[in-house]
Amino acid sequence: MAVKAGRAPAGTPVHTAVGDPVLVRNVALVGPTGAGKTTLAEALLARTGAIPRAGSVTEGTTVCDHDPAAVRQHRSVGLTLAPLQWRDITVNLLDTPGYGDFRGELLAGLRAADAALFVLPASEGRDGALEPGTVTLWEECAGIPRAIVLTRCDTARADVEATVAACRDAFGPDAVPLHLPVRDADGTMTGLHGLLDAADGSGPAGADEARAALIEQIIEQAEDEDLLERYLGGDDLRTAELAAGLRTALLRGSFHPIVPVTAAGAAGPDELLELLTSAFPTPVDRTPPAASDPRPSGPDPAPPMAADPDGPLVAEVVHTGADPYVGRICLVRVYSGTLRPDSAVHVGGAVPAPRRSPEAGPDEQHDSDERIGRIHSPLGAVLRETTACVAGDLCAVPRLEAVVGDVLSDPAHPVHLTPGARPEPLLPIAVTARDRADEDAVARGLARLVATDPGLRLERDPETRQTVLWCAGEAHADVALGRLRDGGVEVDLEEVRVPLRVTPAGSGRVTGRHVKQSGGHGQYAVCQVEFAPGEPGSGLVFSSEVVGGAVPTQYVPSVEKGIRAQLERGLPAAEGEPAHPVVDVVARLVDGKAHSVDSSDAAFQTAGALAVRAAAETCGLRLLEPVDEVRIRLRDEHLGAVLGDLSARRGKVLSTEPDGAGHTDVRAEVPRIELLRHAVDLRSLTAGTAEATRSFARWAQRS
């Protein structure tokens, strides 16, 4: 809930809307947890006058980490927007969490952004290599223009040169310094030396060699033959020409300039802001998500997408938050057209599917028309009212009944967008109200929680009768439960139970006899049924082999109905155990008896159910447990540990497929009960670099 309805101070003017997408830069701050992303945002906001002074993460006074959960944990837990202005350019900083449990918020930030600043502490490379999780985060941003920011370059543990070398080893030779630190006689960093400027011998040691390497990379990645010929011919290239080549190379996504900054932002913010405004892509430079018409028989195809303020409206909800007074608040990225206050919009998109099961169908679609009220430009928790949000810009819309991924479009021409990636939550926690009287409040609180956090999934298991909240990990679960408490909802946790099944262990013929004569109209039904185990996944296979009318034809379906009802109600696998549904049964009705007066549909249903109970004693029952197929993508160095962990969980590895680039895809079948904490353990085994998905595979005999 990173967008909240804090009100601007009294006297704050209405935020001036951007009129041209060319004057917008949408930049995601990405990096490992603790890298200094939020602190960097504070320095940039303070430098541009968006805030009077920079806040502190440890004191909980930053613009971006205003969420109570972020303040408690001293780290970002959600996506936050913080706009600033520099030389008439609006830069929308999207601060994303670095911890793996909040990957969904990172993906949302990348979806809304046109480029990324990859933030690293200058101490991370001092040992010669970057952390595996850092490299995984870098790979997560593939396909989007990126620059690298080295933070805390003036601290005692900082080693800028070693971290630059580690970046080049991990990210490739396209990561090149754009500035070098300038230090005084004591080694304290006092400023930056720009390598695009003409070489005059005044730079720090190694500046000429670094400048030559930078120019060569710019020319190579920009693929500018004119610059190449002039450079090889010994011409002195002007700074403006190199800056234009740098922008071309950066937009191609194949060049990654490195900018060092100090911990408190004394050196580096100006140079970084110049890079953002002069070289980073505008919304016009980026290709928006593919659009489609949700109506199969629509009269017209979906309009072409372009960052045109005068085009048809197409916007997407990239984040949702909640406020106790205002209600739901949606952070919206406008791709086409202009979103204005008091306008009608069509809201549509795919409803997140429940956890996949054998019976699960396709994702449900929802569509509705709503009216937008006011729109705002959020600065962290503060909502500043604005008059419009043009293509390429972002805004906050209160009281909009929408979820992440929903698309806002013209009601006359509704549009759906290709959905963005979303991680699957794999850690279940069972929650229950502390008091029966609180059940309604808990249900409402959980519904609000899931509506504002797409990384969560809520299920009500009809068999175990548990309410299960699926989270990405323990930190994610802590944040979710903390938000419930902040909303006045207290819940207790209980052990997650996994539903089981039973199936016949053998074959046998049994008799279901239901005879009652207590005066008046009686009940009479006798059926003989042969039971046997069925094929896995076959359910109930029923047939009748009755001859001579021993069971009248009209009562044969009654026997089947009674058998099916008892199988669904379930039977215990052993005395004293709970009942479980019975599956994969072959039942053949072979004989029976009926009475001309006392037989009835209800009597034969009861007889069929009694036959099932008798078969449990005669044939015996085998306990079945659900087995899930698990797919894991991991780095090769973690393969042995992960395979050993799967074996310890009674898993069966089906395949391992290396991609030749340092990663392996593992596919395995594992009993579901062994996977309850697999997400947590997998993160520990792989330093948070693995990605897993899970789906139901089959029912198997419990070993």
Side-chain angles (χ1 to χ4, degrees), residues 460-478:
R460 174 67 181 177
D461 194 314
E463 294 183 40
T464 64
R465 296 176 180 170
Q466 287 186 309
T467 298
V468 180
L469 187 65
W470 289 83
C471 310
E474 289 182 314
H476 192 203
D478 288 344

Side-chain angles (χ1 to χ4, degrees), residues 91 93 166 170 207 259 265 276 282 322 332 349 362 384 387 464 489 523 617 636 653 669 692:
V91 180
L93 295 178
V259 180
L276 294 178
T282 72
V332 175
R384 305 169 300 175
T387 57
T464 64
V489 177
Q523 300 181 49
E617 298 180 2
D636 290 345
V653 177
E669 288 186 348

Side-chain angles (χ1 to χ4, degrees), residues 502-507 531-534 582-586 615 619-622:
V502 291
T503 192
S507 304
F531 286 93
V582 187
V583 297
D584 304 335
V585 178
V586 175
C619 305
L621 295 173
R622 290 187 293 117

Side-chain angles (χ1 to χ4, degrees), residues 99 101 426-429 471-477 645 649 675-688 694:
Y99 195 66
D101 277 16
L426 296 177
L427 177 67
I429 57 173
C471 310
E474 289 182 314
H476 192 203
D645 178 69
R649 297 176 189 273
L675 293 172
L676 296 181
R677 289 189 55 80
H678 180 246
V680 177
D681 296 336
L682 181 64
R683 185 183 304 283
S684 175
L685 288 171
T686 63
R694 188 190 309 172

Side-chain angles (χ1 to χ4, degrees), residues 563-580:
I563 291 174
R564 192 177 298 277
Q566 184 61 57
L567 296 180
E568 292 175 356
R569 285 194 296 268
L571 295 167
E575 187 176 354
E577 292 188 3
H580 305 293

Side-chain angles (χ1 to χ4, degrees), residues 136 139 630-644 646 653-668 678 682 686 689-693:
T136 299
E139 295 168 349
V630 180
R631 294 177 179 265
I632 306 172
R633 180 168 178 80
L634 65 149
R635 303 178 72 85
D636 290 345
E637 59 262 33
H638 302 305
L639 180 60
V642 170
L643 293 181
L646 291 174
V653 177
L654 303 179
S655 66
T656 57
E657 300 177 4
D659 64 0
H663 293 82
T664 297
D665 293 320
V666 176
R667 189 166 64 93
H678 180 246
L682 181 64
T686 63
T689 61
E691 182 179 348
T693 60

Side-chain angles (χ1 to χ4, degrees), residues 313 339-346 369-372 409-412:
L313 176 65
L339 186 64
R340 303 184 187 279
D342 196 30
S343 59
V345 298
H346 176 82
D369 290 342
E370 293 196 34
R371 179 163 292 278
I372 297 290
S409 54
D410 185 341

